[in-house]
Amino acid sequence: MQASADTLKSEVRSYWNAQPCGTQFTSLPWGSREFFADVERGRYASHPFLPEVAEFKAFAGKRLLEVGCGLGTDLIQFARACASVTGVDLTPQSIELVKTRFALEGLPVDARVSDAENLPFADESFDVVYSFGVLHHTPDTERAIREVHRVLKPGGRIIIMLYHLNSMRMWLGTPLHRFKQLLETGDFRKGAEDWIRVYDGAQNPLGKAYTQRDMERMFAAFHDRKYSVHHPIRESLPPIVSAVSQRLLAPWCGFFLVIKARK
Ligand SMILES: C[S@@+](CC[C@H](N)C(=O)[O-])C[C@H]1O[C@@H](n2cnc3c(N)ncnc32)[C@H](O)[C@@H]1O
């Protein structure tokens, strides 16, 4: 790996280690039962489509790997429904919290600090690989997708979400972001890429977004590729606006593009 990709990856690790994804839903001290309950409530209030899209109850008895499991909120849903679960994340902080969370519920988990681009598993180890909002944060996304393919059993399934370039957020937000940059810094050239990056916070070092056509190319080694589009609910929006936007807009121009496919 080039030094610049190495540096970028260590910036990605530091960023997410300092604020594991999901901690934004609560102000409680990290690691308590109440903390995890708050995180879980916040996640499925803002992502109500997730239980169905991720098929939490569909993998009893299957070996499931989550790449970039964050606090393990989705991972524990699969485990509660009797999947045998493994979670990896780049950050030690997330993995510590995942272990605490599973211990609190007395559920087994193999949770490891690992890099999606170099998964520490033998070929054909898993029946399912799930990853939600992760692979667009790693410098070499295509390498990570090859790793997913490698560790999946023949016939195994993927459920993976990447940010969606053909989305309302990009169409409306990019020109506004450029204009804001122009007013603040006199330089409007920080365009779409910068706008994707700041979705996860102003200091987030890396975020990318893809079209369905991009994903057709990136996931060409998988079969039966199917896509769906979703958008999280912003609590600041009036419920009626959220309801209309979830029903009418999210399915075609939401910011989350999900691929489901088989090896
Ligand atoms: C936006 S959070 C999503 C976490 C979780 N999937 C969720 O939806 O709450 C991105 C996560 O990806 C992880 N990540 C980024 N690059 C990674 C890599 N190369 N390998 C493993 N995890 C990575 C980060 O540490 C962070 O936990």
Side-chain angles (χ1 to χ4, degrees):
M1 197 191 330
Q2 293 168 351
S4 60
D6 259 337
T7 310
L8 184 54
K9 197 177 286 173
S10 65
E11 287 169 10
V12 170
R13 179 185 289 108
S14 305
Y15 179 74
W16 291 109
N17 203 51
Q19 55 246 304
C21 208
T23 52
Q24 74 272 22
F25 294 125
T26 180
S27 50
L28 293 173
W30 294 2
S32 64
R33 208 177 270 281
E34 296 72 25
F35 162 83
F36 290 120
D38 246 12
V39 169
E40 190 161 330
R41 246 191 317 274
R43 180 162 185 81
Y44 302 118
S46 57
H47 298 59
F49 49 85
L50 247 182
E52 194 182 325
V53 169
E55 303 180 41
F56 290 141
K57 300 207 165 120
F59 303 117
K62 303 285 184 197
R63 287 202 67 198
L64 179 140
L65 169 67
E66 180 170 0
V67 178
C69 57
L71 295 183
T73 313
D74 291 349
L75 193 63
I76 207 161
Q77 311 302 318
F78 294 113
R80 286 176 189 154
C82 300
S84 160
V85 300
T86 300
V88 298
D89 200 280
L90 201 54
T91 63
Q93 181 67 81
S94 294
I95 291 303
E96 271 316 302
L97 287 165
V98 169
K99 287 179 179 166
T100 306
R101 175 177 220 150
F102 275 72
L104 282 169
E105 289 201 24
L107 287 169
V109 65
D110 176 358
R112 309 186 193 183
V113 178
S114 307
D115 179 1
E117 295 179 29
N118 295 290
L119 291 172
F121 306 108
D123 298 356
E124 304 183 1
S125 296
F126 296 96
D127 301 293
V128 186
V129 179
Y130 172 73
S131 182
F132 195 88
V134 172
L135 302 184
H136 46 235
H137 293 302
T138 198
D140 194 341
T141 300
E142 302 205 17
R143 181 181 169 128
I145 293 168
R146 287 196 296 276
E147 280 292 88
V148 168
H149 190 269
R150 180 182 68 73
V151 302
L152 197 61
K153 294 180 186 172
R157 293 188 58 199
I158 56 165
I159 302 175
I160 293 179
M161 185 279 274
L162 301 179
Y163 290 154
H164 189 200
L165 197 57
N166 281 334
S167 56
M168 203 167 32
R169 175 179 165 83
M170 298 307 297
W171 298 329
L172 302 179
T174 307
L176 289 175
H177 186 62
R178 279 182 194 265
F179 184 61
K180 191 164 159 262
Q181 291 291 329
L182 181 64
L183 293 182
E184 283 172 4
T185 66
D187 183 353
F188 66 92
R189 283 170 298 180
K190 282 190 184 170
E193 280 182 20
D194 201 54
W195 181 231
I196 299 163
R197 184 185 64 75
V198 300
Y199 180 77
D200 290 287
Q203 305 308 318
N204 173 36
L206 179 63
K208 297 176 265 184
Y210 301 93
T211 63
Q212 186 172 319
R213 182 185 282 196
D214 293 332
M215 283 174 68
E216 276 292 275
R217 178 184 53 74
M218 294 155 76
F219 289 89
F222 295 85
H223 306 290
D224 302 335
R225 297 182 296 276
K226 296 197 173 52
Y227 297 87
S228 61
V229 177
H230 311 272
H231 201 82
I233 292 179
R234 292 267 172 230
E235 279 176 2
S236 51
L237 288 178
I240 180 73
V241 176
S242 285
V244 170
S245 119
Q246 282 296 306
R247 208 165 265 269
L248 299 182
L249 298 175
W252 64 281
C253 60
F255 194 49
F256 295 169
L257 179 54
V258 174
I259 179 170
K260 295 189 182 186
R262 283 188 188 279
K263 178 170 173 182

